[in-house]
Amino acid sequence: MIPVQGFEGAKVAVLGLGRSGLSAARALRAGGAQVLAWDDNPAAQEAAHEEGFEIKELFREGAFDDVASLIVSPGIPHLYPSPNKVVAAALRAGVPVDNDIGLFFRSLSGSNWASYDQPPKVIAVTGSNGKSTTSALIHHVLEEVGRDVQLAGNIGRGVLDIDPPGDGGVVVLELSSYQTELARALTPDIAVFTNLTPDHLDRHAGLGGYFAAKRRLFAEGGPDRAVIGVDEDEGLFLAGQLAEGRGDDRVIRVSAKGKLSGPGWMVFARKGFLSEYRKGKQAGSIDLREIKGLPGVHNHQNACAAYAACRTLGLAPKVIERAFHSFAGLPHRSQRIGEANGVAFVNDSKATNVDSALKALLAFDNIRWICGGLEKDGGLDGLASGLGNVVKAYVIGREAAQFSLGLEGVEAEVCTTMEAAVARAAQEAEPGDTVLLAPAAASFDQYDSFEKRGEDFIAQVKRHIGG
């Protein structure tokens, strides 16, 4: 645990008592604060009460009269589409509002750091897509080379639940826009921006607000190094704002769309090859095509970002390459389950929308595609450019017949259940085919979550290939 500094003897309110809220409450108490906790959910209140926290109705008149700060969980709106009533009450009372990420950065350093040969470093990763894989890949590479490394934030453990990092330790954080938007302290040593696509627009009042929330990670604390994906206009703009000139190697530009040029530091992927250039000369390269845990252009972008972050820590290109080869991928994200008789089985249950499913379709050839579920607004037209890779679709979900009608030009079989879909795909697959679960739909018509859907796929595949 990272005990929170700066609130000893003070009253601090915590709104939202899920994973991050309870973690913050515990860390505040460990640092000597008196915690006042609230959640609209009675079960969450009871859980906090059983841990000894005082439950207080923070929306009541005068609730913030003697409170030093309000700590808000990520899912609770503080501005758009409208402020939560407790947040509004705190702001009216002039009480600072923060979150667990802000508490983490203000509390990470310890008095023993002065005796360390190498002070610990924090690598923070944000962006719309790929931040989980990028964070996990950085963590994996550092583990493989024997570094003291911890993974936290949106992935791994809560940021305040980790152990205080030791001499030369590294903390890798995956941060969402909800987290970067509100944190009062954001001071990573290395900050990574993967890309930007429209998401959470209601929460941020549009794409500009969403980008502004991400940009805070780079603007508030000024990281020593910034790794910026420049395949969208926002990334280009951010890199331009951070760099003092064309040759400023504090900014590492990353692309998966083609070669980058210039005197600066850049890492890009083209035709399956990662290249690193610095001061106009090639400094490293990796053939990504043979790395099974990183299939497709979208994962090549993740690889470039992770490679760049690891290079800032002094790791050699060949060392990073070896670690890439042992990366198995994240569960439910282009996760290779196994292979039998020349047929590969891949679980991308996290592909819950058309954009993410398209990336999966473009990553493989000769696809036996398991798709379907609770269809989202906008239809399936956005999949068109990837359908040429599909040999046949096996459609699941309660509305499988209706879903299959949107797959124009693709042979589709209505299977309804995962069991039937995997059985048919495995039966019909030929050597060189990939049986791919990439639903392009939410899971809630049949499963509690995309994770449960992916676990069912894995279980059915193992029935057919063993393991």
Side-chain angles (χ1 to χ4, degrees):
M1 179 186 292
I2 306 290
V4 173
Q5 301 176 21
F7 291 109
E8 186 174 357
K11 290 184 178 180
V12 180
V14 175
L15 175 63
L17 300 173
R19 186 187 77 153
S20 66
L22 274 178
S23 173
R26 296 180 191 118
L28 283 160
R29 181 167 60 188
Q34 179 183 343
V35 177
L36 309 175
W38 179 251
D39 192 298
D40 291 337
N41 185 341
Q45 294 176 34
E46 181 62 28
H49 179 70
E50 288 178 0
E51 291 197 32
F53 294 111
E54 180 181 347
I55 304 301
K56 184 169 184 178
E57 295 178 333
L58 296 173
F59 52 86
R60 300 292 184 188
E61 186 72 27
F64 286 98
D65 285 352
D66 54 354
V67 170
S69 184
L70 172 66
I71 309 304
V72 180
S73 293
I76 298 172
H78 55 273
L79 186 57
Y80 301 115
S82 61
N84 177 276
K85 60 184 177 181
V86 173
V87 176
L91 294 173
R92 285 194 295 269
V95 172
V97 179
D98 204 349
N99 62 12
D100 61 332
I101 305 301
L103 295 180
F104 167 83
F105 278 110
R106 69 179 285 167
S107 306
L108 180 62
S109 63
S111 58
N112 55 337
W113 282 29
S115 64
Y116 287 169
D117 291 332
Q118 297 182 56
K121 291 185 180 293
V122 177
I123 302 174
V125 182
T126 195
S128 297
N129 300 310
K131 57 184 179 293
S132 294
T133 297
T134 300
S135 301
L137 184 55
I138 295 168
H139 177 260
H140 173 78
V141 171
L142 295 175
E143 270 196 328
E144 288 292 293
V145 300
R147 294 290 293 267
D148 170 18
V149 60
Q150 300 179 79
L151 182 63
N154 261 7
I155 187 174
R157 301 161 68 185
V159 292
L160 294 168
D161 289 334
I162 68 171
D163 302 320
D167 194 343
V170 180
V171 179
V172 183
L173 301 181
E174 181 203 335
L175 299 181
S176 72
S177 58
Y178 291 6
Q179 294 168 310
T180 58
E181 177 182 46
L182 191 58
R184 294 176 69 87
L186 283 169
T187 53
D189 299 279
I190 302 156
V192 179
F193 177 87
T194 59
N195 51 57
L196 195 85
T197 58
D199 205 359
H200 309 303
L201 299 188
D202 287 347
R203 173 67 179 260
H204 299 294
L207 187 61
Y210 178 50
F211 174 56
K214 300 286 190 185
R215 181 183 174 277
R216 290 191 75 246
L217 181 63
F218 303 84
E220 295 298 313
D224 295 334
R225 299 281 189 185
V227 177
I228 310 292
V230 295
D231 287 338
E232 293 85 30
D233 290 341
E234 290 84 359
L236 276 173
F237 177 77
L238 180 58
Q241 281 199 312
L242 296 173
E244 293 295 329
R246 295 183 68 214
D248 187 351
D249 67 1
R250 294 173 304 167
V251 177
I252 307 175
R253 291 170 171 83
V254 166
S255 174
K257 290 187 175 179
K259 184 176 181 178
L260 300 176
S261 61
W265 194 352
M266 52 206 66
V267 180
F268 57 87
R270 185 174 60 166
K271 297 180 180 180
F273 287 86
L274 178 153
S275 297
E276 175 192 4
Y277 276 74
R278 200 167 183 181
K279 298 180 180 178
K281 296 181 180 180
Q282 188 165 7
S285 65
I286 298 175
D287 183 352
L288 298 173
R289 298 171 302 172
E290 301 302 317
I291 300 176
K292 294 182 177 180
L294 296 167
V297 172
H298 62 300
N299 274 314
H300 293 175
Q301 183 184 52
N302 301 333
C304 288
Y307 174 95
C310 292
R311 288 287 281 146
T312 67
L313 297 178
L315 273 64
K318 291 299 182 184
V319 170
I320 299 171
E321 180 178 6
R322 283 196 296 271
F324 276 9
H325 277 281
S326 60
F327 181 67
L330 284 178
H332 317 298
R333 297 166 174 87
S334 296
Q335 178 189 12
R336 190 179 180 89
I337 305 304
E339 184 174 323
N341 302 318
V343 177
F345 294 81
V346 177
N347 167 29
D348 204 336
S349 184
K350 184 64 168 64
T352 59
N353 57 43
V354 166
D355 181 65
S356 54
L358 175 61
K359 288 182 171 66
L361 293 179
L362 293 173
F364 303 96
D365 298 318
N366 305 322
I367 297 170
R368 302 280 175 172
W369 179 30
I370 299 176
C371 57
L374 192 62
E375 189 174 345
K376 296 185 176 181
D377 293 341
L380 303 176
D381 291 346
L383 293 167
S385 61
L387 297 181
N389 293 343
V390 176
V391 177
K392 183 177 177 179
Y394 305 83
V395 188
I396 64 173
R398 294 179 185 173
E399 303 297 330
Q402 181 65 35
F403 191 97
S404 67
L405 294 177
L407 304 177
E408 188 174 349
V410 174
E411 181 185 356
E413 180 176 339
V414 174
C415 296
T416 306
T417 67
M418 186 71 73
E419 180 180 13
V422 172
R424 288 291 291 161
Q427 179 185 26
E428 296 183 348
E430 300 177 356
D433 288 355
T434 295
V435 176
L436 170 69
L437 171 65
S443 60
F444 302 121
D445 59 332
Q446 291 181 308
Y447 302 92
D448 291 338
S449 65
F450 73 83
E451 292 95 341
K452 293 295 184 184
R453 177 171 59 192
E455 290 165 7
D456 190 13
F457 174 75
I458 293 170
Q460 299 302 329
V461 168
K462 289 183 175 180
R463 288 180 57 189
H464 289 274
I465 69 172

